[in-house]
Amino acid sequence: MYFCCPGCDGEFLNDPESFYVKLAEQGTTVESVQQFCPVSGDELPGRDTYVDHVGRRIFFCCPGCDETF
């Protein structure tokens, strides 16, 4: 994530969830840097299966895991 000036990163880190909500309301999605599926714990084979959730793009190992999420 990029910030306009020093200090904004600290403000974000103090309450990241509120910023993700604001981004989602603006139609902006932040892509996650992930290595593993949050449902199965398996390593991600690619970046084809995902869900946009509250301003974040969350990747999964397979279509079944995105449905479980």
Side-chain angles (χ1 to χ4, degrees), residues 1-41:
M1 184 168 295
Y2 300 96
F3 299 94
C4 63
C5 59
C8 285
D9 58 340
E11 188 175 338
F12 169 81
L13 291 173
N14 284 334
D15 187 15
E17 292 305 317
S18 69
F19 286 95
Y20 287 122
V21 169
K22 287 179 188 177
L23 289 168
E25 289 170 352
Q26 296 170 0
T28 301
T29 301
V30 178
E31 190 168 295
S32 298
V33 178
Q34 292 176 241
Q35 295 180 3
F36 301 96
C37 175
V39 175
S40 71

Side-chain angles (χ1 to χ4, degrees), residues 38-65:
V39 175
S40 71
D42 293 340
E43 193 167 339
L44 295 174
R47 299 174 73 76
D48 299 327
T49 304
Y50 61 87
V51 170
D52 291 337
H53 177 72
V54 190
R56 287 180 269 190
R57 180 159 287 178
I58 302 169
F59 295 94
F60 301 92
C61 64
C62 64
C65 284

